[in-house]
């Protein structure tokens, strides 16, 4: 709920808003904890125990089972807890699955660009096509070829771009689809018939702690592991094979290295919260309401606009905003970054918004999280503070 604490009127032409967000944490990752979170949720974590102990394994298995149920994953898909956050999960899939046939990588975001670099510079795939676009622009997905493997990001966290649908993916495809869904899982519906591999991290939509990723493997991906193993070296923390076949133990509570059982307990608490409030439909509903609250402000703003101009591809989760006022567009990039820093500094000083600066590898502007752990009325209260901070910062420059 927004904070109705009154602030003393400023003696300037730019008075501070009267209403503050009750919780100013709008970071796009790690994101705000779920409503009602407390340290007590971690009280039963089996700390100082080996992750191979019965209690610890049961906790890990519970995270896999609850994730399976909450995301409405098909019964014949398997889930593993991976080290290295979403990056570790995605790179494990790429290192272990790619190379059997041609690969297409679609990227328009910082991490999508990393998967492109991995495919080209690290794995050095011989039959590789890359489709890269600047931040804010979706590549031409019609270039997808179902005979080839495809790597793509569901929602570009730093670019404010999300795939509009799954219609471009062939239902009868021969290749695999590898989807990085770290800032989309639990916030949008997923068409599992079009996904063979999906990865995400706890610290995005569910507000969990960092360093752990989740790898969801469909039956076609498991079959690839059973019939093919690349000839390049695979780091131990990426190895999904055992004795030349799929290592099914990782989908049953075993892990490739030592996980944090405190982080596991924290993620479990988030999963239980989500189940209590109505599961995936309610999480998606909350995310849509959050975006609608911010969208109402953007539409009337005279200085901020969506980085993604294509409404059908615009992310409703990690909202990326660019400067639209002519006097700011006339500034060079360094000046616009200085304006971004000044705005975010003012917002943090007033405890009105924390960590809403754009990703350092993107363009100058602001980025606001609208995932399911945020409250819509906090986003409604945020808009006037963005206006205030922008005008204060612009006047100072």
């Amino acid at each position: 709920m927004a904070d109705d604490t009154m602030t003393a009127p400023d003696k300037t032409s730019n008075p501070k808003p009267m209403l503050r967000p009750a919780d100013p944490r709008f970071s796009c990752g790690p994101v705000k904890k779920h409503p009602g979170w407390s340290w007590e949720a971690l009280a039963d974590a089996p700390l100082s125990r080996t992750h191979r102990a019965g209690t610890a394994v049961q906790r890990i298995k519970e995270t896999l089972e609850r994730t399976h149920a909450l995301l409405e994953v098909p019964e014949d898909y398997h889930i593993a807890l991976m080290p290295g956050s979403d990056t570790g999960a995605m790179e494990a899939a790429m290192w272990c699955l790619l190379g059997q046939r041609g690969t297409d990588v679609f990227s328009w975001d910082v991490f999508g660009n990393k998967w492109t670099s991995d495919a080209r510079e690290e794995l050095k795939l011989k039959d590789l096509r890359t489709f890269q676009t600047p931040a804010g622009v979706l590549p031409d997905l019609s270039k997808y070829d179902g005979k080839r493997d495809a790597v793509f990001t569901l929602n570009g966290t730093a670019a404010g771009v999300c795939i509009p649908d799954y219609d471009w993916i062939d239902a009868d495809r021969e290749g695999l689809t590898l989807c990085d869904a770290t800032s989309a899982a639990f916030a949008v519906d997923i068409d599992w018939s079009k996904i063979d591999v999906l990865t995400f991290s706890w610290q995005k939509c569910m507000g969990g702690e960092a360093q752990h990723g989740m790898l969801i493997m469909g039956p076609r991906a498991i079959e690839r592991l059973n019939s093919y193993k690349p000839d390049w070296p695979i780091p131990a923390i990426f190895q999904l094979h055992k004795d030349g076949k799929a290592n099914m133990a990782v989908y049953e509570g075993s892990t490739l290295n030592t996980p944090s059982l405190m982080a596991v307990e924290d993620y479990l608490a988030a999963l239980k919260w989500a189940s209590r409030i109505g599961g995936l439909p309610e999480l998606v509903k909350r995310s849509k309401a959050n975006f609608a609250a911010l969208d109402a402000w953007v539409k009337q703003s005279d200085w901020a606009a969506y980085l993604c101009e294509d409404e059908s591809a615009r992310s409703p989760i990690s909202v990326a905003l660019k400067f639209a006022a002519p006097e700011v567009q006339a500034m060079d990039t360094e000046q616009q970054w200085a304006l971004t820093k000044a705005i975010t500094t003012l917002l943090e000083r007033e405890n009105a918004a924390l960590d809403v600066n754009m990703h350092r590898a993107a363009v100058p502007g602001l980025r606001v999280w609208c995932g399911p752990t945020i409250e819509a009325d906090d986003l409604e209260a945020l808009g006037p503070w963005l206006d205030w901070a922008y005008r204060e910062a612009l006047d100072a420059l």
Side-chain angles (χ1 to χ4, degrees):
M1 300 293 291
D3 187 347
D4 60 0
T5 301
M6 306 291 281
T7 57
D10 287 337
K11 297 178 181 179
T12 70
S13 59
N14 185 33
K16 294 178 184 177
M18 303 294 286
L19 186 68
R20 297 177 190 272
D23 195 315
R25 292 173 291 182
F26 299 105
S27 166
C28 284
V31 309
K32 174 184 172 288
K33 295 291 190 185
H34 64 81
W37 182 92
S38 74
W39 288 105
E40 293 178 4
L42 311 182
D44 293 331
L47 305 183
S48 304
R49 297 291 307 276
T50 171
H51 57 295
R52 298 183 182 90
T55 300
V57 172
Q58 286 303 314
R59 284 289 207 285
I60 295 169
K61 288 182 69 174
E62 185 178 353
T63 69
L64 306 183
E65 292 167 0
R66 285 184 176 275
T67 299
H68 203 287
L70 190 61
L71 281 179
E72 301 176 359
V73 179
E75 186 176 350
D76 55 352
Y77 281 56
H78 302 274
I79 306 180
L81 189 161
M82 301 294 293
S85 192
D86 176 66
T87 303
M90 192 66 180
E91 291 188 330
M94 293 179 66
W95 257 248
C96 292
L97 294 170
L98 298 182
Q100 185 190 58
R101 58 177 63 227
T103 301
D104 293 343
V105 184
F106 296 88
S107 60
W108 59 91
D109 184 58
V110 173
F111 284 96
N113 292 337
K114 173 156 180 57
W115 313 144
T116 298
S117 177
D118 281 350
R120 183 173 53 220
E121 308 298 336
E122 303 300 332
L123 297 179
K124 301 184 187 300
L125 297 177
K126 295 178 181 178
D127 185 2
L128 175 67
R129 300 193 305 171
T130 60
F131 303 90
Q132 286 182 276
T133 49
V137 180
L138 187 72
D140 184 358
L141 300 177
S142 70
K143 300 293 185 181
Y144 164 76
D145 182 348
K147 291 182 169 58
R148 302 167 64 84
D149 293 334
V151 178
F152 66 97
T153 305
L154 201 162
N155 179 74
T157 314
V161 175
C162 187
I163 64 168
D165 53 50
Y166 301 85
D167 295 344
W168 55 281
I169 301 175
D170 297 341
D172 60 350
R173 61 194 176 278
E174 297 177 20
L176 299 179
T177 53
L178 281 65
C179 175
D180 169 9
T182 195
S183 59
F186 301 106
V188 299
D189 292 312
I190 296 171
D191 184 350
W192 290 104
S193 71
K194 302 298 182 71
I195 302 296
D196 295 303
V197 180
L198 184 138
T199 67
F200 67 90
S201 58
W202 301 345
Q203 74 265 33
K204 286 297 194 295
C205 290
M206 297 303 283
E209 292 304 298
Q211 295 303 324
H212 295 298
M214 299 295 273
L215 172 67
I216 304 180
M217 300 278 280
R220 300 177 70 250
I222 297 295
E223 175 55 31
R224 173 75 65 86
L225 290 175
N226 284 327
S227 61
Y228 165 75
K229 185 176 181 180
D231 55 10
W232 50 63
I234 301 176
I237 60 172
F238 290 172
Q239 290 180 6
L240 301 177
H241 292 89
K242 186 174 183 180
D243 299 326
K245 299 291 184 179
N247 178 9
M248 299 307 293
V250 299
Y251 310 106
E252 298 168 0
S254 180
T255 57
L256 297 179
N257 75 340
T258 306
S260 163
L261 295 176
M262 181 176 290
V264 167
E265 200 73 17
D266 185 61
Y267 177 52
L268 270 174
L271 291 169
K272 292 174 183 177
W273 162 78
S275 295
R276 286 195 303 271
I277 67 170
L280 184 61
E282 183 62 24
L283 296 178
V284 173
K285 180 181 177 181
R286 286 176 62 89
S287 297
K288 288 180 177 179
N290 288 338
F291 176 69
L294 185 63
D295 181 58
W297 171 80
V298 176
K299 286 179 176 176
Q300 57 80 43
S301 175
D302 60 355
W303 63 270
Y306 292 110
L307 179 60
C308 178
E309 298 179 0
D310 179 359
E311 186 175 356
S312 68
R314 188 175 297 153
S315 171
I317 314 160
S318 53
V319 179
L321 302 172
K322 63 183 178 181
F323 295 115
E327 63 267 32
V328 179
Q329 291 182 333
M331 297 178 181
D332 60 31
T333 301
E334 184 176 346
Q335 289 174 310
Q336 290 190 27
W337 274 119
L339 178 60
T340 298
K341 183 177 180 180
I343 292 171
T344 56
T345 298
L346 285 167
L347 291 169
E348 183 169 354
R349 186 191 72 188
E350 296 292 334
N351 203 38
L354 306 176
D355 308 320
V356 294
N357 49 301
M358 193 73 89
H359 192 283
R360 62 187 180 277
V363 300
L366 302 175
R367 195 168 51 136
V368 181
W369 184 252
C370 291
T373 64
I374 303 295
E375 300 288 5
D377 59 355
D378 281 340
L379 286 160
E380 291 174 356
L382 173 65
W385 281 99
L386 296 178
D387 288 330
W388 172 82
Y390 167 76
R391 304 201 187 287
E392 286 284 298
L394 191 62
D395 288 347
L397 288 179

